[in-house]
Amino acid sequence: MKKKIIRVTTVPISLGGLLQGQLKFMSSFYEILGVSSVGVDNKLKKVGQQEKVRVLPIEMTRKITPFQDIKALIKLYKLFKKEKPLIVHSHTPKAGTLSMIAAKFAGVPHRLHTIAGLPLLEANGLKRTILNTVEKITYSCATKIYPNSFGLKEIILKNKFTTKKKIKVIANGSSNGIDTEVFDNSLYSQIEKDNLRKTLNISKDDLVYIFIGRIVTDKGINELIEAFSKINKTSNNVKLLLVGGYESELDPLSSKTLNIIETNKNIISTGWVNDVRSYLSISNVLTFPSYREGFPNVVMQAGAMGLPCIVSNINGCNEIIIEGENGTIIPVKDSDALYNSMLKFYNNKQHFDSKKCRDLIVKRYKRQVVWDALLNEYQQIDNS
């Protein structure tokens, strides 16, 4: 009889998207139960079907909602007492805090939490104090902490959230690696690329910068729009693809930035898309000036598609990108540095070898490498 592992995320898109394929792989070795909120259009059920594992809904919110949080905490506790898993493994901040506390009180022997980013790094004052306290509580209830990058590990230790004994990076970093057989530019024919360019009103002579992610301040969009606008003033054969959705309530852009996006015909905003590969296939370089990340999938995806990347000097990004080999690294919140790097690429786009960009990702972050390392971690825990 297989031993049981419960995987918990706040929302189902993390369970089935960020961890895509991982639960199905692990179910060959352990009984896997996925727990998350129901999601839009009963997304959690679809994740269960996709991963071929049992799933159970427990509603959790991404915001601070004390009453709802307590309800979720009680439900998680009851679930863990009933299921008696060997391991509870959580991802995402809210799910991590609630499930680690609940698992400890329920007597779960092994409580693992993966860190994919620290939103508190951009907080100040009382909010930062509260978030620091919550983070320490989460880590103290866990038996093992897995930051998904070495830079994040150093930040956690520097802030004294936990001890060296309890913390470990799986493989070379990343929560799930990258499916390099799916993210491969050779899957797209020149005809398909030409048709998409035509649909988006991008000519064959245009150089295409692309950003993929949430269109919010925290991702450096204000700086990106400022930098692109400067290039666009002297060069009209450039396009900026913004692939992602807005979060106007949580992290709005400046009114100036929004106005430029709406009025500049060379900035193309696609909204949220389920499959970003076709957009990467017609682009020349990823621009990703985020303020903070855990281990950004989009940088690995772009690299696997053969794109060089311009990234900010933050953990995760500065591990995936090797300066001058598969991209360049710039200071955080520096629109001038971003502009200079974008301009340099415009003037000499042949500087980077697309094959080398891809090979560096395949070698270090192929999905199976991460899965095998995590499975080995589970088996070591199981045998301890």
Side-chain angles (χ1 to χ4, degrees), residues 132-157:
N132 281 354
T133 302
V134 171
E135 206 74 13
K136 289 178 180 179
I137 291 171
T138 303
Y139 296 4
S140 67
C141 290
T143 55
K144 202 77 177 179
I145 298 296
Y146 301 118
N148 68 354
S149 75
F150 291 96
L152 194 53
K153 175 184 175 181
E154 293 306 311
I155 292 171
I156 290 169
L157 291 174

PDB file of all heavy atoms in Angstrom, residues 132-157:
ATOM      1  N   ASN A 132       6.589  39.312   8.205  1.00  0.00           N
ATOM      2  CA  ASN A 132       7.765  38.630   8.754  1.00  0.00           C
ATOM      3  C   ASN A 132       7.358  37.622   9.822  1.00  0.00           C
ATOM      4  O   ASN A 132       7.860  36.489   9.868  1.00  0.00           O
ATOM      5  CB  ASN A 132       8.737  39.645   9.365  1.00  0.00           C
ATOM      6  CG  ASN A 132       9.586  40.345   8.327  1.00  0.00           C
ATOM      7  OD1 ASN A 132       9.546  40.016   7.145  1.00  0.00           O
ATOM      8  ND2 ASN A 132      10.353  41.323   8.760  1.00  0.00           N
ATOM      9  N   THR A 133       6.444  38.044  10.683  1.00  0.00           N
ATOM     10  CA  THR A 133       5.976  37.171  11.776  1.00  0.00           C
ATOM     11  C   THR A 133       5.268  35.942  11.221  1.00  0.00           C
ATOM     12  O   THR A 133       5.511  34.816  11.674  1.00  0.00           O
ATOM     13  CB  THR A 133       5.022  37.952  12.709  1.00  0.00           C
ATOM     14  OG1 THR A 133       5.703  39.087  13.227  1.00  0.00           O
ATOM     15  CG2 THR A 133       4.545  37.074  13.851  1.00  0.00           C
ATOM     16  N   VAL A 134       4.413  36.167  10.221  1.00  0.00           N
ATOM     17  CA  VAL A 134       3.680  35.053   9.600  1.00  0.00           C
ATOM     18  C   VAL A 134       4.656  34.075   8.951  1.00  0.00           C
ATOM     19  O   VAL A 134       4.511  32.858   9.064  1.00  0.00           O
ATOM     20  CB  VAL A 134       2.669  35.579   8.562  1.00  0.00           C
ATOM     21  CG1 VAL A 134       2.078  34.418   7.753  1.00  0.00           C
ATOM     22  CG2 VAL A 134       1.552  36.353   9.238  1.00  0.00           C
ATOM     23  N   GLU A 135       5.665  34.617   8.287  1.00  0.00           N
ATOM     24  CA  GLU A 135       6.664  33.781   7.623  1.00  0.00           C
ATOM     25  C   GLU A 135       7.405  32.907   8.637  1.00  0.00           C
ATOM     26  O   GLU A 135       7.612  31.709   8.424  1.00  0.00           O
ATOM     27  CB  GLU A 135       7.646  34.664   6.862  1.00  0.00           C
ATOM     28  CG  GLU A 135       8.309  33.992   5.680  1.00  0.00           C
ATOM     29  CD  GLU A 135       7.376  33.829   4.486  1.00  0.00           C
ATOM     30  OE1 GLU A 135       6.294  34.437   4.475  1.00  0.00           O
ATOM     31  OE2 GLU A 135       7.744  33.072   3.572  1.00  0.00           O
ATOM     32  N   LYS A 136       7.780  33.513   9.763  1.00  0.00           N
ATOM     33  CA  LYS A 136       8.492  32.762  10.801  1.00  0.00           C
ATOM     34  C   LYS A 136       7.613  31.666  11.401  1.00  0.00           C
ATOM     35  O   LYS A 136       8.099  30.573  11.707  1.00  0.00           O
ATOM     36  CB  LYS A 136       8.981  33.718  11.890  1.00  0.00           C
ATOM     37  CG  LYS A 136      10.126  34.618  11.446  1.00  0.00           C
ATOM     38  CD  LYS A 136      10.547  35.590  12.545  1.00  0.00           C
ATOM     39  CE  LYS A 136      11.690  36.487  12.077  1.00  0.00           C
ATOM     40  NZ  LYS A 136      12.098  37.462  13.103  1.00  0.00           N
ATOM     41  N   ILE A 137       6.337  31.955  11.567  1.00  0.00           N
ATOM     42  CA  ILE A 137       5.401  30.949  12.092  1.00  0.00           C
ATOM     43  C   ILE A 137       5.302  29.777  11.123  1.00  0.00           C
ATOM     44  O   ILE A 137       5.343  28.602  11.523  1.00  0.00           O
ATOM     45  CB  ILE A 137       4.009  31.573  12.334  1.00  0.00           C
ATOM     46  CG1 ILE A 137       4.064  32.556  13.503  1.00  0.00           C
ATOM     47  CG2 ILE A 137       2.965  30.485  12.599  1.00  0.00           C
ATOM     48  CD1 ILE A 137       2.807  33.383  13.675  1.00  0.00           C
ATOM     49  N   THR A 138       5.180  30.090   9.837  1.00  0.00           N
ATOM     50  CA  THR A 138       5.088  29.049   8.811  1.00  0.00           C
ATOM     51  C   THR A 138       6.310  28.142   8.854  1.00  0.00           C
ATOM     52  O   THR A 138       6.199  26.914   8.879  1.00  0.00           O
ATOM     53  CB  THR A 138       4.978  29.677   7.402  1.00  0.00           C
ATOM     54  OG1 THR A 138       3.849  30.542   7.361  1.00  0.00           O
ATOM     55  CG2 THR A 138       4.830  28.599   6.341  1.00  0.00           C
ATOM     56  N   TYR A 139       7.497  28.751   8.889  1.00  0.00           N
ATOM     57  CA  TYR A 139       8.740  27.977   8.863  1.00  0.00           C
ATOM     58  C   TYR A 139       8.940  27.173  10.142  1.00  0.00           C
ATOM     59  O   TYR A 139       9.489  26.076  10.117  1.00  0.00           O
ATOM     60  CB  TYR A 139       9.935  28.898   8.635  1.00  0.00           C
ATOM     61  CG  TYR A 139       9.953  29.619   7.306  1.00  0.00           C
ATOM     62  CD1 TYR A 139       8.900  29.505   6.402  1.00  0.00           C
ATOM     63  CD2 TYR A 139      11.009  30.445   6.958  1.00  0.00           C
ATOM     64  CE1 TYR A 139       8.920  30.176   5.198  1.00  0.00           C
ATOM     65  CE2 TYR A 139      11.038  31.120   5.740  1.00  0.00           C
ATOM     66  CZ  TYR A 139       9.982  30.977   4.870  1.00  0.00           C
ATOM     67  OH  TYR A 139      10.000  31.644   3.669  1.00  0.00           O
ATOM     68  N   SER A 140       8.510  27.733  11.260  1.00  0.00           N
ATOM     69  CA  SER A 140       8.684  27.019  12.527  1.00  0.00           C
ATOM     70  C   SER A 140       7.797  25.788  12.597  1.00  0.00           C
ATOM     71  O   SER A 140       8.150  24.800  13.243  1.00  0.00           O
ATOM     72  CB  SER A 140       8.373  27.956  13.708  1.00  0.00           C
ATOM     73  OG  SER A 140       7.002  28.303  13.726  1.00  0.00           O
ATOM     74  N   CYS A 141       6.647  25.831  11.921  1.00  0.00           N
ATOM     75  CA  CYS A 141       5.743  24.676  11.913  1.00  0.00           C
ATOM     76  C   CYS A 141       6.177  23.624  10.902  1.00  0.00           C
ATOM     77  O   CYS A 141       5.792  22.458  11.006  1.00  0.00           O
ATOM     78  CB  CYS A 141       4.316  25.124  11.608  1.00  0.00           C
ATOM     79  SG  CYS A 141       3.530  26.072  12.931  1.00  0.00           S
ATOM     80  N   ALA A 142       6.949  24.013   9.908  1.00  0.00           N
ATOM     81  CA  ALA A 142       7.439  23.075   8.899  1.00  0.00           C
ATOM     82  C   ALA A 142       8.640  22.308   9.429  1.00  0.00           C
ATOM     83  O   ALA A 142       9.385  22.794  10.281  1.00  0.00           O
ATOM     84  CB  ALA A 142       7.817  23.832   7.628  1.00  0.00           C
ATOM     85  N   THR A 143       8.840  21.109   8.904  1.00  0.00           N
ATOM     86  CA  THR A 143      10.035  20.335   9.254  1.00  0.00           C
ATOM     87  C   THR A 143      11.139  20.528   8.210  1.00  0.00           C
ATOM     88  O   THR A 143      12.304  20.257   8.470  1.00  0.00           O
ATOM     89  CB  THR A 143       9.707  18.842   9.366  1.00  0.00           C
ATOM     90  OG1 THR A 143       9.092  18.390   8.143  1.00  0.00           O
ATOM     91  CG2 THR A 143       8.758  18.582  10.531  1.00  0.00           C
ATOM     92  N   LYS A 144      10.743  21.002   7.019  1.00  0.00           N
ATOM     93  CA  LYS A 144      11.718  21.247   5.961  1.00  0.00           C
ATOM     94  C   LYS A 144      11.223  22.390   5.076  1.00  0.00           C
ATOM     95  O   LYS A 144      10.049  22.465   4.731  1.00  0.00           O
ATOM     96  CB  LYS A 144      11.887  19.987   5.101  1.00  0.00           C
ATOM     97  CG  LYS A 144      13.198  19.926   4.340  1.00  0.00           C
ATOM     98  CD  LYS A 144      14.360  19.544   5.232  1.00  0.00           C
ATOM     99  CE  LYS A 144      15.657  19.421   4.427  1.00  0.00           C
ATOM    100  NZ  LYS A 144      16.802  19.085   5.274  1.00  0.00           N
ATOM    101  N   ILE A 145      12.147  23.290   4.721  1.00  0.00           N
ATOM    102  CA  ILE A 145      11.830  24.435   3.880  1.00  0.00           C
ATOM    103  C   ILE A 145      12.620  24.325   2.576  1.00  0.00           C
ATOM    104  O   ILE A 145      13.833  24.139   2.589  1.00  0.00           O
ATOM    105  CB  ILE A 145      12.186  25.757   4.587  1.00  0.00           C
ATOM    106  CG1 ILE A 145      11.364  25.920   5.864  1.00  0.00           C
ATOM    107  CG2 ILE A 145      11.973  26.947   3.651  1.00  0.00           C
ATOM    108  CD1 ILE A 145       9.880  26.044   5.646  1.00  0.00           C
ATOM    109  N   TYR A 146      11.913  24.455   1.447  1.00  0.00           N
ATOM    110  CA  TYR A 146      12.555  24.345   0.136  1.00  0.00           C
ATOM    111  C   TYR A 146      12.404  25.638  -0.672  1.00  0.00           C
ATOM    112  O   TYR A 146      11.442  25.797  -1.420  1.00  0.00           O
ATOM    113  CB  TYR A 146      11.941  23.192  -0.669  1.00  0.00           C
ATOM    114  CG  TYR A 146      12.044  21.838  -0.022  1.00  0.00           C
ATOM    115  CD1 TYR A 146      10.895  21.130   0.320  1.00  0.00           C
ATOM    116  CD2 TYR A 146      13.280  21.255   0.243  1.00  0.00           C
ATOM    117  CE1 TYR A 146      10.976  19.879   0.897  1.00  0.00           C
ATOM    118  CE2 TYR A 146      13.377  20.005   0.831  1.00  0.00           C
ATOM    119  CZ  TYR A 146      12.218  19.317   1.157  1.00  0.00           C
ATOM    120  OH  TYR A 146      12.296  18.072   1.743  1.00  0.00           O
ATOM    121  N   PRO A 147      13.322  26.571  -0.537  1.00  0.00           N
ATOM    122  CA  PRO A 147      13.300  27.723  -1.449  1.00  0.00           C
ATOM    123  C   PRO A 147      13.628  27.227  -2.849  1.00  0.00           C
ATOM    124  O   PRO A 147      14.446  26.316  -3.006  1.00  0.00           O
ATOM    125  CB  PRO A 147      14.409  28.630  -0.901  1.00  0.00           C
ATOM    126  CG  PRO A 147      15.322  27.706  -0.167  1.00  0.00           C
ATOM    127  CD  PRO A 147      14.474  26.602   0.387  1.00  0.00           C
ATOM    128  N   ASN A 148      13.005  27.793  -3.866  1.00  0.00           N
ATOM    129  CA  ASN A 148      13.251  27.261  -5.205  1.00  0.00           C
ATOM    130  C   ASN A 148      14.365  27.991  -5.952  1.00  0.00           C
ATOM    131  O   ASN A 148      14.459  27.921  -7.163  1.00  0.00           O
ATOM    132  CB  ASN A 148      11.962  27.214  -6.028  1.00  0.00           C
ATOM    133  CG  ASN A 148      11.427  28.586  -6.364  1.00  0.00           C
ATOM    134  OD1 ASN A 148      11.940  29.601  -5.900  1.00  0.00           O
ATOM    135  ND2 ASN A 148      10.389  28.622  -7.182  1.00  0.00           N
ATOM    136  N   SER A 149      15.215  28.684  -5.180  1.00  0.00           N
ATOM    137  CA  SER A 149      16.441  29.236  -5.761  1.00  0.00           C
ATOM    138  C   SER A 149      17.460  29.423  -4.642  1.00  0.00           C
ATOM    139  O   SER A 149      17.106  29.532  -3.467  1.00  0.00           O
ATOM    140  CB  SER A 149      16.177  30.575  -6.454  1.00  0.00           C
ATOM    141  OG  SER A 149      16.003  31.610  -5.504  1.00  0.00           O
ATOM    142  N   PHE A 150      18.729  29.450  -5.029  1.00  0.00           N
ATOM    143  CA  PHE A 150      19.786  29.625  -4.028  1.00  0.00           C
ATOM    144  C   PHE A 150      19.798  31.048  -3.481  1.00  0.00           C
ATOM    145  O   PHE A 150      20.120  31.267  -2.314  1.00  0.00           O
ATOM    146  CB  PHE A 150      21.145  29.266  -4.644  1.00  0.00           C
ATOM    147  CG  PHE A 150      21.288  27.803  -4.941  1.00  0.00           C
ATOM    148  CD1 PHE A 150      21.021  27.307  -6.210  1.00  0.00           C
ATOM    149  CD2 PHE A 150      21.657  26.916  -3.947  1.00  0.00           C
ATOM    150  CE1 PHE A 150      21.131  25.953  -6.487  1.00  0.00           C
ATOM    151  CE2 PHE A 150      21.771  25.557  -4.206  1.00  0.00           C
ATOM    152  CZ  PHE A 150      21.498  25.063  -5.483  1.00  0.00           C
ATOM    153  N   GLY A 151      19.435  32.012  -4.327  1.00  0.00           N
ATOM    154  CA  GLY A 151      19.349  33.390  -3.861  1.00  0.00           C
ATOM    155  C   GLY A 151      18.268  33.558  -2.809  1.00  0.00           C
ATOM    156  O   GLY A 151      18.448  34.271  -1.814  1.00  0.00           O
ATOM    157  N   LEU A 152      17.137  32.896  -3.015  1.00  0.00           N
ATOM    158  CA  LEU A 152      16.037  32.952  -2.062  1.00  0.00           C
ATOM    159  C   LEU A 152      16.431  32.308  -0.741  1.00  0.00           C
ATOM    160  O   LEU A 152      16.061  32.774   0.341  1.00  0.00           O
ATOM    161  CB  LEU A 152      14.810  32.254  -2.655  1.00  0.00           C
ATOM    162  CG  LEU A 152      13.458  32.478  -1.975  1.00  0.00           C
ATOM    163  CD1 LEU A 152      13.149  33.959  -1.817  1.00  0.00           C
ATOM    164  CD2 LEU A 152      12.356  31.785  -2.780  1.00  0.00           C
ATOM    165  N   LYS A 153      17.210  31.253  -0.837  1.00  0.00           N
ATOM    166  CA  LYS A 153      17.713  30.598   0.371  1.00  0.00           C
ATOM    167  C   LYS A 153      18.536  31.575   1.209  1.00  0.00           C
ATOM    168  O   LYS A 153      18.365  31.656   2.437  1.00  0.00           O
ATOM    169  CB  LYS A 153      18.581  29.389  -0.013  1.00  0.00           C
ATOM    170  CG  LYS A 153      19.253  28.701   1.173  1.00  0.00           C
ATOM    171  CD  LYS A 153      20.168  27.568   0.706  1.00  0.00           C
ATOM    172  CE  LYS A 153      20.932  26.966   1.880  1.00  0.00           C
ATOM    173  NZ  LYS A 153      21.845  25.877   1.441  1.00  0.00           N
ATOM    174  N   GLU A 154      19.406  32.331   0.554  1.00  0.00           N
ATOM    175  CA  GLU A 154      20.242  33.287   1.275  1.00  0.00           C
ATOM    176  C   GLU A 154      19.407  34.403   1.910  1.00  0.00           C
ATOM    177  O   GLU A 154      19.697  34.857   3.018  1.00  0.00           O
ATOM    178  CB  GLU A 154      21.294  33.879   0.329  1.00  0.00           C
ATOM    179  CG  GLU A 154      22.334  32.874  -0.155  1.00  0.00           C
ATOM    180  CD  GLU A 154      23.016  32.145   0.995  1.00  0.00           C
ATOM    181  OE1 GLU A 154      23.464  32.819   1.948  1.00  0.00           O
ATOM    182  OE2 GLU A 154      23.087  30.898   0.943  1.00  0.00           O
ATOM    183  N   ILE A 155      18.374  34.855   1.198  1.00  0.00           N
ATOM    184  CA  ILE A 155      17.494  35.889   1.742  1.00  0.00           C
ATOM    185  C   ILE A 155      16.780  35.381   2.985  1.00  0.00           C
ATOM    186  O   ILE A 155      16.666  36.089   3.996  1.00  0.00           O
ATOM    187  CB  ILE A 155      16.464  36.338   0.680  1.00  0.00           C
ATOM    188  CG1 ILE A 155      17.173  37.087  -0.445  1.00  0.00           C
ATOM    189  CG2 ILE A 155      15.385  37.225   1.304  1.00  0.00           C
ATOM    190  CD1 ILE A 155      16.288  37.388  -1.643  1.00  0.00           C
ATOM    191  N   ILE A 156      16.300  34.157   2.933  1.00  0.00           N
ATOM    192  CA  ILE A 156      15.592  33.557   4.070  1.00  0.00           C
ATOM    193  C   ILE A 156      16.508  33.441   5.282  1.00  0.00           C
ATOM    194  O   ILE A 156      16.126  33.773   6.404  1.00  0.00           O
ATOM    195  CB  ILE A 156      15.033  32.171   3.673  1.00  0.00           C
ATOM    196  CG1 ILE A 156      13.881  32.342   2.676  1.00  0.00           C
ATOM    197  CG2 ILE A 156      14.559  31.399   4.897  1.00  0.00           C
ATOM    198  CD1 ILE A 156      13.442  31.051   2.013  1.00  0.00           C
ATOM    199  N   LEU A 157      17.733  33.001   5.050  1.00  0.00           N
ATOM    200  CA  LEU A 157      18.682  32.860   6.158  1.00  0.00           C
ATOM    201  C   LEU A 157      19.115  34.225   6.693  1.00  0.00           C
ATOM    202  O   LEU A 157      19.268  34.408   7.910  1.00  0.00           O
ATOM    203  CB  LEU A 157      19.902  32.064   5.698  1.00  0.00           C
ATOM    204  CG  LEU A 157      19.670  30.578   5.402  1.00  0.00           C
ATOM    205  CD1 LEU A 157      20.925  29.941   4.827  1.00  0.00           C
ATOM    206  CD2 LEU A 157      19.230  29.833   6.675  1.00  0.00           C
TER     207      LEU A 157
END
